[in-house]
């Protein structure tokens, strides 16, 4: 009779030591495979490792082994997931945001898998093999209760080490000298408010980011009324109160119709005199805002929707503002502003209205209708050009109209299959565009070629609009505005750099354009820095629509008092200075340093104030 082969058994103490050493080495190797040492010495990694070891020494076999392996696996998935998201989007993500974007992630699995590196698979396989080896480890029965007491002592030692590492971390943080007046420039401010997730992780590490994520988005208690009153006072003090002043562009487009394209992933790389001649001509002959920045924030395109329509920054603490705060009160919006002048205000999108909660959000901010694919008729993924041929005939131009069109063609993914997995008309269009791209730029990366080919559909859509209203004899009453929602996502730094060199004549995959055109204006380059929140007040000035400045965060580009503000997560740029958020140093100063610091503190607090506005539904009062 064959006897069952038993697992090799070692002494209880040796078992704990081997298990503890194995799990600790795994945690360290995972961390250093993906992240360089952070500015605070990876003390949070030490605290986490010690805490997991506390479980290992405090639990009986086999629960100690299961707890250690599970914690290690979850740690790997979190670290690798954050690294993957950073490769795709150049940013780190809050857990609640990741959950909110799960439907978008499901639709773009191809782009996600394309960013997985061999290192990820190798590490996962190595992790599984090591877990299998640890599983074969078995302790001999403990001789008596004294051995159990020793294990509890070990658990307390590891718990003490965890507390010690945490105390060192917070001690270093609190020991940092920070002038009270310039608190927003300090490490303490960044840690408390997580104003820049990328900068936070680079300085404090991913473990500290996870803890702050839990604190801010899961464990933070409800605010008391006294805190709400304090928040309202802070908001009121922050928002500008100076009345707007007329300038040379005030009322230039008064009474004209407006079609605003929020262009999915549009960058300067797309705007080419041969590939996209209509966009190129409109940019050259219209108002071209060359220092415009469209930040890629937690909610991706939805955050661009939010900023462009409301002139407010979205929440940056892990929730998607359009979903979480769709029911808030917004007294100012593009739709409400144009509606107040007798315009119809319609939003359109060749996607589904449920995505990002757009159907509820757009109704809340004043759009009288939202034309998604359910209204327009085509299937999901139909190109911008095909959808625009439907939209332009649905517009009622018997009265002044404002159309806000969110495009889709430029969206990820950028594989060859993304050119063909559509209806026949869209597939033919993309194939023809891809052939033109390959002929003009044969040396480009294949994914970049696909990106350009898909994005060319916007040019066809805009050309169709111009032709449509020209035939109707009303082109002179039309204004077209185009703003990219964010930089092109999913490309490696190497591809971005190569593409910038190959397309050096007109732009890169990271420069996001904003321009507007009408037959009645002459070409003008506006060099003042600006961002999405400046679009609404600029349009309102051009169309002679009044806005109360204390209800918005943005400014009119043409206001001579406004020094501009652009923030790309690494720097803040104005006409007066450039501020590097990593080194915290100023350059290109046109004003005294102290004045620049005082002015810059206002912009550093913009996300903090936006969070307060949304959390407390400030404008509902």
């Amino acid at each position: 009779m064959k006897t069952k082969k038993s697992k090799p058994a070692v002494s209880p103490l040796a078992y704990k030591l081997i298990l503890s050493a194995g799990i600790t080495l795994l945690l360290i190797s995972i961390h250093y495979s993906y992240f360089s040492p952070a500015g605070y010495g990876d003390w949070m990694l030490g605290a986490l490792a010690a805490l997991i070891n506390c479980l290992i020494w405090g639990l009986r076999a086999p629960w100690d082994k299961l707890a250690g392996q599970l914690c290690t696996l979850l740690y790997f998935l979190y670290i690798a997931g954050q690294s993957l998201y950073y490769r795709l989007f150049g940013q780190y993500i809050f857990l609640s945001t990741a959950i909110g974007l799960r439907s978008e992630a499901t639709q773009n699995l191809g782009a996600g898998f394309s960013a997985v590196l061999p290192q990820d698979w190798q590490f996962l396989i190595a992790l599984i093999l090591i877990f299998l080896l640890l599983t074969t480890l078995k302790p001999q029965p403990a001789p008596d209760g004294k051995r159990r007491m020793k294990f509890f002592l070990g658990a307390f030692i590891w718990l003490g080490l965890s507390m010690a590492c945490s105390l060192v971390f917070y001690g270093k943080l609190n020991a940092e000298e920070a002038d009270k007046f310039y608190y927003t420039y300090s490490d303490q401010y960044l840690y408390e408010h997580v104003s820049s997730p990328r900068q936070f992780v680079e300085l404090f590490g991913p473990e500290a980011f996870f803890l702050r994520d839990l604190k801010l988005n899961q464990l933070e208690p409800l605010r008391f009324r006294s805190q709400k009153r304090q928040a309202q006072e802070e908001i009121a003090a922050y928002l500008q109160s100076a009345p707007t002043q007329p300038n040379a562009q005030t009322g230039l487009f008064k009474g004209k119709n407006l079609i605003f394209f929020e262009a999915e992933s549009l960058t300067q790389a797309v705007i080419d005199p041969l590939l996209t001649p209509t966009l190129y001509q409109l940019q050259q002959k219209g108002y071209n805002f060359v220092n415009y920045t469209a930040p890629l924030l937690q909610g991706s395109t939805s955050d661009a929707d939010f900023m462009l329509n409301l002139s407010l920054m979205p929440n940056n603490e892990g929730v998607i503002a359009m979903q979480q705060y769709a029911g808030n009160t917004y007294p100012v919006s593009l739709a409400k502003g144009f509606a107040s002048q007798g315009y119809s205000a319609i939003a359109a999108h060749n996607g589904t209205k449920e995505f990002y909660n757009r159907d509820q959000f757009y109704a809340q901010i004043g759009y009288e209708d939202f034309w998604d694919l359910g209204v327009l008729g085509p299937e999901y993924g139909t190109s911008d050009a095909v959808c625009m041929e439907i939209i332009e005939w649905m517009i009622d131009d018997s009265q002044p109209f404002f159309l806000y069109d969110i495009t889709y063609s430029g969206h990820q993914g950028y594989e060859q299959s993304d050119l063909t997995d559509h209806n026949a008309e869209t597939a033919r269009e993309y194939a023809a565009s891809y052939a033109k791209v390959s002929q003009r730029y044969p040396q480009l990366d294949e994914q970049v070629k696909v990106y350009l080919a898909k994005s060319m559909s916007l040019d066809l859509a805009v050309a169709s609009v111009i032709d449509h209203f020209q035939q109707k004899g009303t082109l002179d009453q039309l204004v077209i505005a185009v703003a990219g929602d964010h930089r092109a996502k999913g490309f490696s730094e190497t591809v971005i750099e190569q593409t910038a060199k190959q397309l050096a004549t007109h732009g890169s995959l990271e420069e996001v354009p904003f321009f507007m055109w009408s037959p009645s204006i002459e070409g003008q380059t506006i060099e003042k820095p600006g961002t999405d929140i400046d679009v609404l007040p600029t349009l309102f000035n051009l169309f002679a629509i009044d806005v109360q400045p204390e209800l918005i965060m943005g400014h009119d580009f043409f206001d001579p008092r406004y020094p501009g503000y652009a923030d790309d997560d690494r720097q803040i740029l104005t006409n007066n200075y450039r501020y590097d958020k990593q080194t915290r140093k100023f350059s290109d100063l046109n004003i005294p340093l102290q004045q620049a610091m005082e002015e810059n503190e206002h912009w550093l607090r913009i996300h903090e104030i936006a969070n307060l506005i949304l959390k407390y539904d400030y404008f509902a009062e």
Side-chain angles (χ1 to χ4, degrees), residues 16 19 50-61 63-64 67 148-159:
K16 290 287 187 182
L19 187 59
L51 195 60
I52 293 174
N53 274 282
C54 178
L55 290 175
I56 292 172
W57 283 80
L59 294 173
R60 292 179 179 273
W63 302 109
D64 52 358
R148 185 66 185 159
M149 291 301 296
K150 289 183 178 180
F151 294 155
F152 274 126
L153 178 61
F156 280 120
I157 291 173
W158 282 108
L159 182 60

PDB file of all heavy atoms in Angstrom, residues 16 19 50-61 63-64 67 148-159:
ATOM      1  N   LYS A  16       8.394  30.058  10.462  1.00  0.00           N
ATOM      2  CA  LYS A  16       8.014  31.466  10.510  1.00  0.00           C
ATOM      3  C   LYS A  16       9.092  32.350   9.887  1.00  0.00           C
ATOM      4  O   LYS A  16       8.786  33.295   9.151  1.00  0.00           O
ATOM      5  CB  LYS A  16       7.765  31.894  11.953  1.00  0.00           C
ATOM      6  CG  LYS A  16       6.516  31.302  12.592  1.00  0.00           C
ATOM      7  CD  LYS A  16       5.243  31.933  12.040  1.00  0.00           C
ATOM      8  CE  LYS A  16       4.009  31.460  12.795  1.00  0.00           C
ATOM      9  NZ  LYS A  16       2.759  32.015  12.260  1.00  0.00           N
ATOM     10  N   LEU A  19       9.047  31.898   6.038  1.00  0.00           N
ATOM     11  CA  LEU A  19       7.857  32.550   5.483  1.00  0.00           C
ATOM     12  C   LEU A  19       7.985  34.065   5.557  1.00  0.00           C
ATOM     13  O   LEU A  19       7.694  34.784   4.586  1.00  0.00           O
ATOM     14  CB  LEU A  19       6.623  32.080   6.258  1.00  0.00           C
ATOM     15  CG  LEU A  19       5.252  32.528   5.725  1.00  0.00           C
ATOM     16  CD1 LEU A  19       5.057  32.040   4.301  1.00  0.00           C
ATOM     17  CD2 LEU A  19       4.142  31.996   6.630  1.00  0.00           C
ATOM     18  N   ALA A  50       6.225  45.358   7.525  1.00  0.00           N
ATOM     19  CA  ALA A  50       6.187  44.979   8.938  1.00  0.00           C
ATOM     20  C   ALA A  50       4.775  44.581   9.362  1.00  0.00           C
ATOM     21  O   ALA A  50       4.586  43.637  10.138  1.00  0.00           O
ATOM     22  CB  ALA A  50       6.700  46.136   9.801  1.00  0.00           C
ATOM     23  N   LEU A  51       3.772  45.283   8.842  1.00  0.00           N
ATOM     24  CA  LEU A  51       2.389  44.973   9.199  1.00  0.00           C
ATOM     25  C   LEU A  51       1.985  43.593   8.681  1.00  0.00           C
ATOM     26  O   LEU A  51       1.320  42.812   9.383  1.00  0.00           O
ATOM     27  CB  LEU A  51       1.460  46.039   8.624  1.00  0.00           C
ATOM     28  CG  LEU A  51       0.032  46.080   9.174  1.00  0.00           C
ATOM     29  CD1 LEU A  51       0.034  46.323  10.677  1.00  0.00           C
ATOM     30  CD2 LEU A  51      -0.769  47.159   8.466  1.00  0.00           C
ATOM     31  N   ILE A  52       2.398  43.261   7.462  1.00  0.00           N
ATOM     32  CA  ILE A  52       2.095  41.937   6.908  1.00  0.00           C
ATOM     33  C   ILE A  52       2.821  40.856   7.704  1.00  0.00           C
ATOM     34  O   ILE A  52       2.276  39.777   7.967  1.00  0.00           O
ATOM     35  CB  ILE A  52       2.470  41.890   5.415  1.00  0.00           C
ATOM     36  CG1 ILE A  52       1.550  42.827   4.612  1.00  0.00           C
ATOM     37  CG2 ILE A  52       2.360  40.472   4.874  1.00  0.00           C
ATOM     38  CD1 ILE A  52       1.923  42.969   3.164  1.00  0.00           C
ATOM     39  N   ASN A  53       4.047  41.136   8.113  1.00  0.00           N
ATOM     40  CA  ASN A  53       4.785  40.181   8.933  1.00  0.00           C
ATOM     41  C   ASN A  53       4.131  39.997  10.300  1.00  0.00           C
ATOM     42  O   ASN A  53       4.212  38.926  10.905  1.00  0.00           O
ATOM     43  CB  ASN A  53       6.235  40.623   9.103  1.00  0.00           C
ATOM     44  CG  ASN A  53       7.105  40.160   7.956  1.00  0.00           C
ATOM     45  OD1 ASN A  53       7.498  38.996   7.884  1.00  0.00           O
ATOM     46  ND2 ASN A  53       7.407  41.065   7.034  1.00  0.00           N
ATOM     47  N   CYS A  54       3.486  41.047  10.788  1.00  0.00           N
ATOM     48  CA  CYS A  54       2.738  40.936  12.038  1.00  0.00           C
ATOM     49  C   CYS A  54       1.636  39.890  11.894  1.00  0.00           C
ATOM     50  O   CYS A  54       1.395  39.080  12.808  1.00  0.00           O
ATOM     51  CB  CYS A  54       2.163  42.296  12.418  1.00  0.00           C
ATOM     52  SG  CYS A  54       1.164  42.289  13.914  1.00  0.00           S
ATOM     53  N   LEU A  55       0.953  39.885  10.736  1.00  0.00           N
ATOM     54  CA  LEU A  55      -0.067  38.867  10.470  1.00  0.00           C
ATOM     55  C   LEU A  55       0.555  37.476  10.407  1.00  0.00           C
ATOM     56  O   LEU A  55       0.006  36.501  10.937  1.00  0.00           O
ATOM     57  CB  LEU A  55      -0.783  39.169   9.150  1.00  0.00           C
ATOM     58  CG  LEU A  55      -1.707  40.390   9.106  1.00  0.00           C
ATOM     59  CD1 LEU A  55      -2.227  40.590   7.685  1.00  0.00           C
ATOM     60  CD2 LEU A  55      -2.867  40.216  10.077  1.00  0.00           C
ATOM     61  N   ILE A  56       1.706  37.389   9.738  1.00  0.00           N
ATOM     62  CA  ILE A  56       2.364  36.085   9.581  1.00  0.00           C
ATOM     63  C   ILE A  56       2.732  35.486  10.936  1.00  0.00           C
ATOM     64  O   ILE A  56       2.530  34.296  11.190  1.00  0.00           O
ATOM     65  CB  ILE A  56       3.613  36.226   8.694  1.00  0.00           C
ATOM     66  CG1 ILE A  56       3.200  36.554   7.250  1.00  0.00           C
ATOM     67  CG2 ILE A  56       4.476  34.969   8.738  1.00  0.00           C
ATOM     68  CD1 ILE A  56       4.344  36.908   6.336  1.00  0.00           C
ATOM     69  N   TRP A  57       3.274  36.316  11.828  1.00  0.00           N
ATOM     70  CA  TRP A  57       3.713  35.803  13.123  1.00  0.00           C
ATOM     71  C   TRP A  57       2.542  35.645  14.097  1.00  0.00           C
ATOM     72  O   TRP A  57       2.616  34.856  15.050  1.00  0.00           O
ATOM     73  CB  TRP A  57       4.770  36.729  13.724  1.00  0.00           C
ATOM     74  CG  TRP A  57       6.103  36.531  13.066  1.00  0.00           C
ATOM     75  CD1 TRP A  57       6.509  37.039  11.876  1.00  0.00           C
ATOM     76  CD2 TRP A  57       7.182  35.743  13.557  1.00  0.00           C
ATOM     77  NE1 TRP A  57       7.784  36.629  11.577  1.00  0.00           N
ATOM     78  CE2 TRP A  57       8.239  35.828  12.603  1.00  0.00           C
ATOM     79  CE3 TRP A  57       7.390  34.984  14.705  1.00  0.00           C
ATOM     80  CZ2 TRP A  57       9.443  35.185  12.761  1.00  0.00           C
ATOM     81  CZ3 TRP A  57       8.606  34.339  14.871  1.00  0.00           C
ATOM     82  CH2 TRP A  57       9.623  34.428  13.904  1.00  0.00           C
ATOM     83  N   GLY A  58       1.464  36.353  13.870  1.00  0.00           N
ATOM     84  CA  GLY A  58       0.341  36.290  14.799  1.00  0.00           C
ATOM     85  C   GLY A  58      -0.675  35.218  14.484  1.00  0.00           C
ATOM     86  O   GLY A  58      -1.427  34.793  15.360  1.00  0.00           O
ATOM     87  N   LEU A  59      -0.725  34.745  13.215  1.00  0.00           N
ATOM     88  CA  LEU A  59      -1.708  33.745  12.817  1.00  0.00           C
ATOM     89  C   LEU A  59      -1.108  32.339  12.858  1.00  0.00           C
ATOM     90  O   LEU A  59       0.086  32.147  12.657  1.00  0.00           O
ATOM     91  CB  LEU A  59      -2.218  34.042  11.400  1.00  0.00           C
ATOM     92  CG  LEU A  59      -3.034  35.333  11.222  1.00  0.00           C
ATOM     93  CD1 LEU A  59      -3.308  35.568   9.743  1.00  0.00           C
ATOM     94  CD2 LEU A  59      -4.330  35.263  12.018  1.00  0.00           C
ATOM     95  N   ARG A  60      -1.973  31.364  13.057  1.00  0.00           N
ATOM     96  CA  ARG A  60      -1.546  29.965  13.030  1.00  0.00           C
ATOM     97  C   ARG A  60      -1.415  29.482  11.579  1.00  0.00           C
ATOM     98  O   ARG A  60      -2.045  30.020  10.671  1.00  0.00           O
ATOM     99  CB  ARG A  60      -2.569  29.092  13.759  1.00  0.00           C
ATOM    100  CG  ARG A  60      -2.655  29.305  15.264  1.00  0.00           C
ATOM    101  CD  ARG A  60      -3.715  28.403  15.847  1.00  0.00           C
ATOM    102  NE  ARG A  60      -3.827  28.550  17.289  1.00  0.00           N
ATOM    103  CZ  ARG A  60      -3.101  27.876  18.175  1.00  0.00           C
ATOM    104  NH1 ARG A  60      -2.191  26.997  17.748  1.00  0.00           N
ATOM    105  NH2 ARG A  60      -3.270  28.066  19.470  1.00  0.00           N
ATOM    106  N   ALA A  61      -0.622  28.445  11.399  1.00  0.00           N
ATOM    107  CA  ALA A  61      -0.532  27.804  10.084  1.00  0.00           C
ATOM    108  C   ALA A  61      -1.849  27.058   9.811  1.00  0.00           C
ATOM    109  O   ALA A  61      -2.443  26.503  10.744  1.00  0.00           O
ATOM    110  CB  ALA A  61       0.641  26.834  10.062  1.00  0.00           C
ATOM    111  N   TRP A  63      -3.042  29.652   8.079  1.00  0.00           N
ATOM    112  CA  TRP A  63      -3.607  30.982   7.839  1.00  0.00           C
ATOM    113  C   TRP A  63      -2.518  32.040   7.699  1.00  0.00           C
ATOM    114  O   TRP A  63      -2.695  33.019   6.971  1.00  0.00           O
ATOM    115  CB  TRP A  63      -4.569  31.352   8.968  1.00  0.00           C
ATOM    116  CG  TRP A  63      -5.678  30.364   9.112  1.00  0.00           C
ATOM    117  CD1 TRP A  63      -5.867  29.464  10.117  1.00  0.00           C
ATOM    118  CD2 TRP A  63      -6.730  30.135   8.179  1.00  0.00           C
ATOM    119  NE1 TRP A  63      -6.973  28.689   9.903  1.00  0.00           N
ATOM    120  CE2 TRP A  63      -7.538  29.081   8.698  1.00  0.00           C
ATOM    121  CE3 TRP A  63      -7.093  30.700   6.965  1.00  0.00           C
ATOM    122  CZ2 TRP A  63      -8.656  28.601   8.039  1.00  0.00           C
ATOM    123  CZ3 TRP A  63      -8.221  30.215   6.305  1.00  0.00           C
ATOM    124  CH2 TRP A  63      -8.988  29.190   6.847  1.00  0.00           C
ATOM    125  N   ASP A  64      -1.394  31.837   8.378  1.00  0.00           N
ATOM    126  CA  ASP A  64      -0.299  32.803   8.255  1.00  0.00           C
ATOM    127  C   ASP A  64       0.238  32.837   6.831  1.00  0.00           C
ATOM    128  O   ASP A  64       0.502  33.893   6.257  1.00  0.00           O
ATOM    129  CB  ASP A  64       0.813  32.468   9.251  1.00  0.00           C
ATOM    130  CG  ASP A  64       1.267  31.015   9.174  1.00  0.00           C
ATOM    131  OD1 ASP A  64       0.699  30.236   8.363  1.00  0.00           O
ATOM    132  OD2 ASP A  64       2.191  30.650   9.935  1.00  0.00           O
ATOM    133  N   ALA A  67      -2.440  34.390   4.479  1.00  0.00           N
ATOM    134  CA  ALA A  67      -2.516  35.847   4.650  1.00  0.00           C
ATOM    135  C   ALA A  67      -1.327  36.533   3.976  1.00  0.00           C
ATOM    136  O   ALA A  67      -1.487  37.546   3.274  1.00  0.00           O
ATOM    137  CB  ALA A  67      -2.545  36.193   6.132  1.00  0.00           C
ATOM    138  N   ARG A 148       3.893  29.266  21.220  1.00  0.00           N
ATOM    139  CA  ARG A 148       2.865  30.184  20.722  1.00  0.00           C
ATOM    140  C   ARG A 148       3.091  31.589  21.254  1.00  0.00           C
ATOM    141  O   ARG A 148       2.919  32.565  20.528  1.00  0.00           O
ATOM    142  CB  ARG A 148       1.486  29.664  21.145  1.00  0.00           C
ATOM    143  CG  ARG A 148       0.322  30.467  20.595  1.00  0.00           C
ATOM    144  CD  ARG A 148       0.237  30.351  19.102  1.00  0.00           C
ATOM    145  NE  ARG A 148      -0.813  31.203  18.552  1.00  0.00           N
ATOM    146  CZ  ARG A 148      -0.863  31.608  17.311  1.00  0.00           C
ATOM    147  NH1 ARG A 148       0.086  31.275  16.474  1.00  0.00           N
ATOM    148  NH2 ARG A 148      -1.849  32.350  16.889  1.00  0.00           N
ATOM    149  N   MET A 149       3.518  31.665  22.526  1.00  0.00           N
ATOM    150  CA  MET A 149       3.784  32.975  23.113  1.00  0.00           C
ATOM    151  C   MET A 149       4.931  33.663  22.394  1.00  0.00           C
ATOM    152  O   MET A 149       4.935  34.879  22.211  1.00  0.00           O
ATOM    153  CB  MET A 149       4.093  32.822  24.597  1.00  0.00           C
ATOM    154  CG  MET A 149       2.891  32.388  25.450  1.00  0.00           C
ATOM    155  SD  MET A 149       1.521  33.571  25.337  1.00  0.00           S
ATOM    156  CE  MET A 149       2.302  35.000  26.081  1.00  0.00           C
ATOM    157  N   LYS A 150       5.931  32.868  21.972  1.00  0.00           N
ATOM    158  CA  LYS A 150       7.063  33.462  21.248  1.00  0.00           C
ATOM    159  C   LYS A 150       6.601  34.049  19.916  1.00  0.00           C
ATOM    160  O   LYS A 150       7.100  35.072  19.471  1.00  0.00           O
ATOM    161  CB  LYS A 150       8.144  32.402  21.023  1.00  0.00           C
ATOM    162  CG  LYS A 150       8.896  31.997  22.281  1.00  0.00           C
ATOM    163  CD  LYS A 150      10.000  31.007  21.945  1.00  0.00           C
ATOM    164  CE  LYS A 150      10.774  30.637  23.212  1.00  0.00           C
ATOM    165  NZ  LYS A 150      11.866  29.665  22.928  1.00  0.00           N
ATOM    166  N   PHE A 151       5.637  33.341  19.278  1.00  0.00           N
ATOM    167  CA  PHE A 151       5.136  33.858  18.011  1.00  0.00           C
ATOM    168  C   PHE A 151       4.370  35.160  18.206  1.00  0.00           C
ATOM    169  O   PHE A 151       4.435  36.073  17.393  1.00  0.00           O
ATOM    170  CB  PHE A 151       4.258  32.810  17.330  1.00  0.00           C
ATOM    171  CG  PHE A 151       5.005  31.587  16.893  1.00  0.00           C
ATOM    172  CD1 PHE A 151       4.357  30.376  16.737  1.00  0.00           C
ATOM    173  CD2 PHE A 151       6.369  31.645  16.625  1.00  0.00           C
ATOM    174  CE1 PHE A 151       5.052  29.246  16.331  1.00  0.00           C
ATOM    175  CE2 PHE A 151       7.074  30.525  16.216  1.00  0.00           C
ATOM    176  CZ  PHE A 151       6.418  29.313  16.081  1.00  0.00           C
ATOM    177  N   PHE A 152       3.593  35.238  19.304  1.00  0.00           N
ATOM    178  CA  PHE A 152       2.896  36.484  19.603  1.00  0.00           C
ATOM    179  C   PHE A 152       3.899  37.611  19.855  1.00  0.00           C
ATOM    180  O   PHE A 152       3.675  38.756  19.461  1.00  0.00           O
ATOM    181  CB  PHE A 152       1.988  36.310  20.829  1.00  0.00           C
ATOM    182  CG  PHE A 152       0.634  35.782  20.487  1.00  0.00           C
ATOM    183  CD1 PHE A 152       0.140  34.651  21.115  1.00  0.00           C
ATOM    184  CD2 PHE A 152      -0.154  36.417  19.544  1.00  0.00           C
ATOM    185  CE1 PHE A 152      -1.120  34.164  20.802  1.00  0.00           C
ATOM    186  CE2 PHE A 152      -1.402  35.932  19.222  1.00  0.00           C
ATOM    187  CZ  PHE A 152      -1.893  34.801  19.850  1.00  0.00           C
ATOM    188  N   LEU A 153       5.003  37.271  20.510  1.00  0.00           N
ATOM    189  CA  LEU A 153       6.051  38.265  20.747  1.00  0.00           C
ATOM    190  C   LEU A 153       6.621  38.749  19.416  1.00  0.00           C
ATOM    191  O   LEU A 153       6.850  39.952  19.227  1.00  0.00           O
ATOM    192  CB  LEU A 153       7.152  37.655  21.614  1.00  0.00           C
ATOM    193  CG  LEU A 153       8.356  38.568  21.913  1.00  0.00           C
ATOM    194  CD1 LEU A 153       7.897  39.815  22.675  1.00  0.00           C
ATOM    195  CD2 LEU A 153       9.416  37.806  22.704  1.00  0.00           C
ATOM    196  N   GLY A 154       6.803  37.818  18.478  1.00  0.00           N
ATOM    197  CA  GLY A 154       7.281  38.204  17.152  1.00  0.00           C
ATOM    198  C   GLY A 154       6.309  39.135  16.449  1.00  0.00           C
ATOM    199  O   GLY A 154       6.703  40.107  15.791  1.00  0.00           O
ATOM    200  N   ALA A 155       5.000  38.822  16.612  1.00  0.00           N
ATOM    201  CA  ALA A 155       3.983  39.680  15.985  1.00  0.00           C
ATOM    202  C   ALA A 155       4.042  41.091  16.561  1.00  0.00           C
ATOM    203  O   ALA A 155       3.943  42.081  15.820  1.00  0.00           O
ATOM    204  CB  ALA A 155       2.597  39.074  16.192  1.00  0.00           C
ATOM    205  N   PHE A 156       4.210  41.191  17.883  1.00  0.00           N
ATOM    206  CA  PHE A 156       4.292  42.510  18.520  1.00  0.00           C
ATOM    207  C   PHE A 156       5.543  43.260  18.064  1.00  0.00           C
ATOM    208  O   PHE A 156       5.525  44.487  17.892  1.00  0.00           O
ATOM    209  CB  PHE A 156       4.279  42.362  20.044  1.00  0.00           C
ATOM    210  CG  PHE A 156       2.915  42.148  20.612  1.00  0.00           C
ATOM    211  CD1 PHE A 156       2.617  40.997  21.344  1.00  0.00           C
ATOM    212  CD2 PHE A 156       1.896  43.062  20.385  1.00  0.00           C
ATOM    213  CE1 PHE A 156       1.343  40.789  21.860  1.00  0.00           C
ATOM    214  CE2 PHE A 156       0.624  42.865  20.899  1.00  0.00           C
ATOM    215  CZ  PHE A 156       0.340  41.728  21.636  1.00  0.00           C
ATOM    216  N   ILE A 157       6.625  42.535  17.866  1.00  0.00           N
ATOM    217  CA  ILE A 157       7.858  43.179  17.389  1.00  0.00           C
ATOM    218  C   ILE A 157       7.640  43.772  15.998  1.00  0.00           C
ATOM    219  O   ILE A 157       8.016  44.917  15.714  1.00  0.00           O
ATOM    220  CB  ILE A 157       9.015  42.166  17.375  1.00  0.00           C
ATOM    221  CG1 ILE A 157       9.407  41.799  18.819  1.00  0.00           C
ATOM    222  CG2 ILE A 157      10.221  42.738  16.622  1.00  0.00           C
ATOM    223  CD1 ILE A 157      10.422  40.684  18.906  1.00  0.00           C
ATOM    224  N   TRP A 158       7.003  42.969  15.115  1.00  0.00           N
ATOM    225  CA  TRP A 158       6.751  43.475  13.759  1.00  0.00           C
ATOM    226  C   TRP A 158       5.778  44.646  13.776  1.00  0.00           C
ATOM    227  O   TRP A 158       5.922  45.599  13.004  1.00  0.00           O
ATOM    228  CB  TRP A 158       6.197  42.355  12.879  1.00  0.00           C
ATOM    229  CG  TRP A 158       7.251  41.409  12.395  1.00  0.00           C
ATOM    230  CD1 TRP A 158       7.455  40.130  12.795  1.00  0.00           C
ATOM    231  CD2 TRP A 158       8.265  41.694  11.417  1.00  0.00           C
ATOM    232  NE1 TRP A 158       8.526  39.583  12.131  1.00  0.00           N
ATOM    233  CE2 TRP A 158       9.038  40.528  11.272  1.00  0.00           C
ATOM    234  CE3 TRP A 158       8.593  42.808  10.660  1.00  0.00           C
ATOM    235  CZ2 TRP A 158      10.118  40.432  10.406  1.00  0.00           C
ATOM    236  CZ3 TRP A 158       9.667  42.733   9.782  1.00  0.00           C
ATOM    237  CH2 TRP A 158      10.416  41.560   9.664  1.00  0.00           C
ATOM    238  N   LEU A 159       4.765  44.572  14.668  1.00  0.00           N
ATOM    239  CA  LEU A 159       3.835  45.687  14.788  1.00  0.00           C
ATOM    240  C   LEU A 159       4.558  46.937  15.254  1.00  0.00           C
ATOM    241  O   LEU A 159       4.299  48.042  14.768  1.00  0.00           O
ATOM    242  CB  LEU A 159       2.727  45.321  15.772  1.00  0.00           C
ATOM    243  CG  LEU A 159       1.625  46.375  15.973  1.00  0.00           C
ATOM    244  CD1 LEU A 159       0.909  46.660  14.658  1.00  0.00           C
ATOM    245  CD2 LEU A 159       0.634  45.919  17.037  1.00  0.00           C
TER     246      LEU A 159
END
